[in-house]
Amino acid sequence: MAVLAEMDLKLLLISTLLGLFCCSNAQKEGNECINANAKYCGECIQAGAKCGWCTDPNFLKQGETVSTRCDELDSLIKRGCDKAMIENPHGEQKTLKNKPVTHRKKGAEKLDPEDITQIKPQKLSLTLRSGEPQSFDLTFKRAEDYPIDLYYLMDLSYSMKDDLENVKNLGTSLMLEMEKITSDFKIGFGSFVEKTVMPYISTTPAKLLNPCTGDQNCTSPFSYKNVLNLTSDGKKFNTLVGQQHISGNLDSPEGGFDAIMQVAVCGDQIGWRNVTRLLVFSTDAGFHFAGDGKLGGIVLPNDGKCHLENNMYTMSHYYDYPSIAHLVQKLSDNNIQTIFAVTEEFQPVYQELKNLIPKSAVGTLSANSSNVINLIIDAYNSLSSEVILENSKLPEGVTIAYTSHCKNGVVSEGENGRKCSNISIGDEVTFSISVTSKGCPKQGKTDTIKIKPLGFTEEVEITLNFICECECHKDGIKNSPLCHNGTYECGACKCNEGRVGRQCECSSNDVATEDMDRTCRKDNGTDICSNNGDCVCGTCECKKRDNPEERYSGQYCECDNFNCDRSGNKLCGGHGRCECRVCICDPMWTGSACDCSLDNSTCMASNKQICNGRGTCECGTCKCTDPKFQGPTCETCPTCPGVCTEHKECVQCRAFGTGEKKDTCERDCSYFNLIKVKDREKLPQPNDASYPVMHCKERDANDCWFYYTYAVNNNTEKEVHVVDTLDCPSGPDIIPIVAGVVAGIVLIGLALLLIWKLLMIIHDRREFAKFEKEKMNAKWDTGENPIYKSAVTTVVNPKYEGK
């Protein structure tokens, strides 16, 4: 038992220490202004949005450091700093360009792509204060009849031979379908096979001329070829594509990533416009990516630049394949949306690739590409129905948060706050964007970030300005007579390098000499600065407490405002302030802990008498002289007649949920503390308590009795102890009654049967005796039986004469 008690004590001590540690950390984290330990105004306002700097020259008390000028606004005002002398700058925002989004219908006057607006505002200027977010709304609307550029990039390895035949008529067919979406459509074509080195292709002279086997006529292998720049002439597309021939390579994966990179970065050669850009990538095989070039001895990473000469990629043998991340960056930078048209076999691979490339789609290509037009239309509708916002790289310490307000009232935050889905042409959605900085990035220099919807050329340009200094910094006086070696600004000295002290009067190299320490002791027998501060330049600078409300002060840091007497767990009873460990009480309060009220109104009874005439008022509380009376004004008499009846209904509803007040119990009956006990012996007895107790016995509507006591304890709290079981009159025992009735019926039946049987036996015996008697008295006749007839018949012959 002793060991267990010791373990419990240790656990209690550990939990207490952890609680104090957590509270201390919470307080430290709670007031970032004090934790910043700011030495000048600019440093203070960078600590957080709630921080202010008091510029009042007389604000600091003896022993307080310059950093105590930096605090939360309410705390500064409470400490006596005039609101007009608190430096607290705020950020702002300006809209520099806010052209409205374009509202027009298909068939209306044709506009240049530069004149179509789908996003607003276009240009903003934000001035950021550390920790204070600046928010604005960004509106996006899908414009009707928006121009589209589509580049068809096709795998021309031998396995795509039948697909090429169907693509030859793609131009005019796709033109007809796209006219339903836009009146300004351009289409281009390119093809790819593989890097022209071993082991991707065969480098024998014959295979370089014709990589196909048998009598198949194939063109020489190549990496990427731009066959047709973007054009609005669908017939030209059909003609040029019809002239293309299939080629071949050795391995299964193709060099499509080289081709995608060139299509993305060679905008001038391809002819990309600043409109919706679609890249259709058609293949029936996998892909090589960064690192695979080592197989051919190519180790130089892809440089992401255009290397087209005569529309042919010339550096496939020199640069490795690009990585997926490199492709994502270039596709995003050039606002290209990719549609992967692949066969069903490779769809899972490209589906994973699609998850890595924003604004991309995957469609299942039939074996001969006969469904390519429907695939492109479906993929375009899927891509264009979703808008995803992306921002450029943010300066260090700057964060951005998105909240989307999409169709049908759908609101999303976090990563989902960047996008809206199921957007139709003409739909308008809004994004709430909040930009916050921490500290002062780049020493206050202006920076620019951009936000744009993925796959679109339009963007919002945001200029960021940072508040790094207070307004009063401009009025600073260098080498002021108030500061020996520093600048007087914002009510305090900002010391030069290597100088310390409230007036920069000391060098940082000799701040702890013995002579200076002597002036920081109250007398020879005390610690430096009462062990509550540091001696700086012969002056005590008091330590800071974890709790920002608690401070040391005084010439020797001998005073504090948290070691005064307490009442009700409150410093100075909550009715005064602590100055140098002594409570300065508010008016109408007195006592060492300001816990004695001089106001007699709290002792006034309802009859306008002090303490109901049955006590004296001391410190705002009645001391009752009549022991029968209790309560704050000596008006409560627990043992007076009528108390039980008065509280009966409330005891009923709170203890048993019955009675007339069961529906209004919580409202009407919460004025006393209810304590349930098991039986009547556990109820408080008059001799046990130090205050009067009234025993009550009441009956409810069901004729059940309940027992309780009513009292007002020494803390003037009303207490009711109630027995938690009702004493109800016992009803009849049903089982014996039923059993008795059933048994009675059975016994009566058996008795009737026995009586009937007895009567029958007596009756039968009588009849038998009668029969025997008659049998004895019977006399039988000995003559011929008149019923008897003989079997012999005698006939007399009348003619017989007896002769």
Side-chain angles (χ1 to χ4, degrees):
M1 291 295 289
V3 174
L4 289 173
E6 186 178 352
M7 289 178 65
D8 290 342
L9 188 61
K10 287 181 179 179
L11 287 171
L12 180 62
L13 181 61
I14 291 170
S15 62
T16 305
L17 290 173
L18 285 173
L20 290 172
F21 178 74
C22 292
C23 293
S24 173
N25 281 349
Q27 289 169 341
K28 283 185 177 181
E29 292 172 3
N31 195 329
E32 55 193 353
C33 312
I34 288 181
N35 294 335
N37 202 27
K39 297 295 188 293
Y40 59 95
C41 187
E43 193 177 356
C44 175
I45 62 169
Q46 292 179 42
K50 298 179 180 179
C51 301
W53 178 271
C54 184
T55 61
D56 185 354
N58 302 316
F59 174 70
L60 295 183
K61 296 179 181 177
Q62 197 167 28
E64 291 183 338
T65 60
V66 175
S67 61
T68 54
R69 290 181 178 274
C70 183
D71 205 342
E72 294 181 358
L73 303 183
D74 292 341
S75 179
L76 288 175
I77 295 171
K78 190 175 178 181
R79 289 167 56 197
C81 186
D82 192 283
K83 195 172 183 179
M85 303 191 77
I86 297 177
E87 195 73 23
N88 181 34
H90 292 285
E92 60 180 5
Q93 56 179 272
K94 294 179 182 177
T95 303
L96 305 178
K97 187 178 181 182
N98 193 22
K99 185 180 177 182
V101 292
T102 302
H103 301 278
R104 69 173 187 136
K105 297 292 183 182
K106 190 176 179 182
E109 181 184 354
K110 190 172 181 180
L111 296 175
D112 293 332
E114 295 78 16
D115 297 328
I116 299 175
T117 304
Q118 296 184 109
I119 189 170
K120 72 166 188 176
Q122 295 81 38
K123 206 167 186 180
L124 285 170
S125 174
L126 301 182
T127 302
L128 300 177
R129 158 88 187 271
S130 177
E132 181 184 61
Q134 290 295 323
S135 302
F136 64 93
D137 288 340
L138 183 150
T139 302
F140 176 85
K141 180 181 180 182
R142 273 190 65 190
E144 191 169 348
D145 197 24
Y146 195 73
I148 298 174
D149 285 354
L150 186 146
Y151 192 84
Y152 196 93
L153 182 60
M154 186 174 181
D155 176 7
L156 283 189
S157 59
Y158 187 76
S159 59
M160 294 286 285
K161 182 179 180 182
D162 54 345
D163 300 79
L164 181 59
E165 295 301 318
N166 285 308
V167 174
K168 287 178 179 179
N169 297 318
L170 178 66
T172 52
S173 302
L174 191 57
M175 281 283 182
L176 292 173
E177 288 296 324
M178 294 302 287
E179 280 179 1
K180 300 175 184 177
I181 299 173
T182 177
S183 60
D184 189 358
F185 176 69
K186 287 190 175 185
I187 189 171
F189 184 82
S191 58
F192 66 92
V193 181
E194 187 55 276
K195 288 186 181 295
T196 54
V197 296
M198 280 290 287
Y200 312 110
I201 66 166
S202 176
T203 56
T204 60
K207 290 295 184 181
L208 283 175
L209 291 174
N210 184 6
C212 301
T213 58
D215 57 351
Q216 298 291 335
N217 185 23
C218 296
T219 188
S220 300
F222 57 90
S223 178
Y224 163 66
K225 181 194 302 181
N226 176 33
V227 178
L228 175 65
N229 293 350
L230 289 164
T231 177
S232 55
D233 188 350
K235 292 181 180 179
K236 186 177 181 181
F237 179 95
N238 293 350
T239 302
L240 285 175
V241 174
Q243 297 172 0
Q244 301 304 304
H245 295 284
I246 214 74
S247 186
N249 63 312
L250 294 179
D251 62 341
S252 174
E254 314 294 2
F257 276 15
D258 273 343
I260 293 176
M261 178 61 77
Q262 293 304 300
V263 171
V265 299
C266 297
D268 294 337
Q269 288 89 330
I270 302 296
W272 290 117
R273 298 177 294 168
N274 284 332
V275 297
T276 298
R277 298 174 176 180
L278 300 178
L279 170 61
V280 179
F281 182 82
S282 175
T283 184
D284 64 347
F287 48 82
H288 284 296
F289 53 90
D292 288 355
K294 289 182 179 180
L295 293 171
I298 304 171
V299 295
L300 199 63
N302 195 289
D303 65 349
K305 295 180 181 178
C306 183
H307 297 287
L308 288 185
E309 292 183 13
N310 297 322
N311 288 322
M312 297 289 289
Y313 179 40
T314 59
M315 302 298 284
S316 68
H317 64 287
Y318 189 74
Y319 289 116
D320 192 7
Y321 302 99
S323 66
I324 295 174
H326 199 180
L327 273 185
V328 170
Q329 178 194 347
K330 292 300 179 182
L331 290 171
S332 177
D333 290 346
N334 292 281
N335 306 305
I336 296 173
Q337 304 177 61
T338 312
I339 300 171
F340 296 105
V342 297
T343 53
E344 188 172 2
E345 178 186 359
F346 286 94
Q347 190 180 21
V349 175
Y350 283 90
Q351 191 68 42
E352 291 297 323
L353 181 61
K354 173 244 179 190
N355 294 335
L356 299 173
I357 301 178
K359 293 294 281 186
S360 63
V362 176
T364 304
L365 195 66
S366 61
N368 58 2
S369 297
S370 58
N371 68 330
V372 68
I373 291 180
N374 289 335
L375 185 153
I376 292 172
I377 298 298
D378 292 343
Y380 168 73
N381 289 332
S382 173
L383 288 172
S384 60
S385 67
E386 184 177 53
V387 58
I388 303 174
L389 295 186
E390 180 188 52
N391 54 267
S392 59
K393 186 178 179 182
L394 299 171
E396 186 180 355
V398 175
T399 57
I400 189 167
Y402 296 86
T403 302
S404 60
H405 304 271
C406 307
K407 287 175 65 177
N408 303 321
V410 178
V411 179
S412 302
E413 296 180 348
E415 280 303 307
N416 290 329
R418 291 175 173 265
K419 60 184 178 181
C420 279
S421 303
N422 301 320
I423 302 174
S424 305
I425 292 175
D427 285 343
E428 190 173 291
V429 294
T430 304
F431 296 87
S432 297
I433 302 174
S434 178
V435 182
T436 310
S437 74
K438 183 64 179 175
C440 190
K442 296 191 174 183
Q443 289 75 46
K445 292 180 181 178
T446 301
D447 208 335
T448 302
I449 61 172
K450 294 180 180 180
I451 300 174
K452 69 174 183 178
L454 284 174
F456 295 88
T457 57
E458 297 172 71
E459 62 187 14
V460 180
E461 183 180 310
I462 304 173
T463 303
L464 300 180
N465 303 294
F466 303 98
I467 299 177
C468 299
E469 287 288 356
C470 302
E471 282 295 319
C472 56
H473 168 73
K474 301 173 184 177
D475 302 325
I477 304 172
K478 288 188 176 181
N479 300 319
S480 166
L482 297 174
C483 307
H484 293 78
N485 287 282
T487 303
Y488 185 76
E489 66 176 51
C490 303
C493 288
K494 183 179 178 181
C495 298
N496 296 335
E497 189 74 25
R499 305 297 295 185
V500 292
R502 191 176 287 191
Q503 296 179 334
C504 312
E505 65 270 27
C506 293
S507 168
S508 58
N509 296 324
D510 50 44
V511 294
T513 63
E514 187 176 341
D515 290 339
M516 290 182 179
D517 285 350
R518 188 178 297 112
T519 62
C520 293
R521 299 177 190 269
K522 193 171 185 180
D523 53 58
N524 291 334
T526 58
D527 295 326
I528 294 176
C529 299
S530 306
N531 205 27
N532 294 325
D534 300 315
C535 187
V536 180
C537 294
T539 304
C540 283
E541 290 191 357
C542 302
K543 293 177 182 177
K544 293 181 182 178
R545 299 274 298 176
D546 293 336
N547 186 343
E549 300 296 326
E550 299 177 356
R551 292 184 299 277
Y552 292 109
S553 60
Q555 182 179 355
Y556 305 103
C557 301
E558 73 278 12
C559 296
D560 61 60
N561 66 343
F562 54 86
N563 271 325
C564 292
D565 290 342
R566 294 174 180 265
S567 177
N569 203 30
K570 291 182 179 179
L571 193 67
C572 297
H575 304 296
R577 65 184 187 279
C578 180
E579 291 187 3
C580 205
R581 304 184 181 182
V582 176
C583 283
I584 307 299
C585 298
D586 296 337
M588 301 300 293
W589 290 90
T590 186
S592 62
C594 301
D595 54 352
C596 182
S597 174
L598 301 177
D599 185 7
N600 288 340
S601 60
T602 55
C603 297
M604 194 70 69
S606 56
N607 58 8
K608 304 302 180 183
Q609 288 186 336
I610 297 294
C611 298
N612 196 27
R614 293 180 170 86
T616 57
C617 186
E618 297 179 9
C619 294
T621 304
C622 283
K623 300 294 183 183
C624 302
T625 53
D626 190 335
K628 287 199 301 182
F629 287 86
Q630 291 178 276
T633 56
C634 299
E635 291 181 277
T636 305
C637 182
T639 56
C640 293
V643 170
C644 293
T645 306
E646 179 185 351
H647 303 292
K648 170 187 173 182
E649 295 295 339
C650 281
V651 173
Q652 254 189 287
C653 77
R654 286 191 58 183
F656 309 107
T658 59
E660 296 180 3
K661 291 188 178 182
K662 65 179 180 180
D663 296 327
T664 60
C665 193
E666 189 174 348
R667 185 190 68 196
D668 298 339
C669 300
S670 58
Y671 59 87
F672 60 81
N673 296 329
L674 182 72
I675 303 165
K676 292 184 178 182
V677 297
K678 292 294 182 183
D679 49 52
R680 293 171 62 182
E681 284 73 19
K682 299 291 178 63
L683 291 173
Q685 301 304 316
N687 297 331
D688 298 340
S690 59
Y691 45 85
V693 176
M694 184 68 175
H695 280 255
C696 301
K697 175 183 177 183
E698 296 292 336
R699 178 182 289 172
D700 63 10
N702 297 322
D703 278 343
C704 293
W705 294 94
F706 57 97
Y707 301 90
Y708 65 94
T709 63
Y710 178 82
V712 179
N713 64 22
N714 294 330
N715 296 325
T716 70
E717 295 174 346
K718 297 178 177 65
E719 273 186 5
V720 171
H721 289 71
V722 62
V723 179
D724 61 2
T725 54
L726 294 168
D727 186 5
C728 299
S730 58
D733 198 345
I734 301 299
I735 294 175
I737 293 174
V738 172
V741 170
V742 173
I745 293 171
V746 172
L747 291 173
I748 291 171
L750 288 173
L752 290 174
L753 284 173
L754 290 172
I755 294 169
W756 176 80
K757 184 67 176 174
L758 183 61
L759 292 174
M760 290 301 294
I761 290 172
I762 294 171
H763 178 267
D764 288 345
R765 286 184 177 178
R766 283 179 179 174
E767 289 295 322
F768 184 73
K770 186 178 178 181
F771 168 73
E772 287 290 330
K773 185 178 179 181
E774 288 179 354
K775 180 179 175 184
M776 293 293 294
N777 295 332
K779 291 182 179 179
W780 301 98
D781 189 2
T782 60
E784 185 178 355
N785 188 354
I787 301 173
Y788 175 77
K789 287 185 179 182
S790 175
V792 180
T793 303
T794 304
V795 180
V796 180
N797 190 352
K799 294 296 186 175
Y800 180 70
E801 293 181 355
K803 292 179 178 182

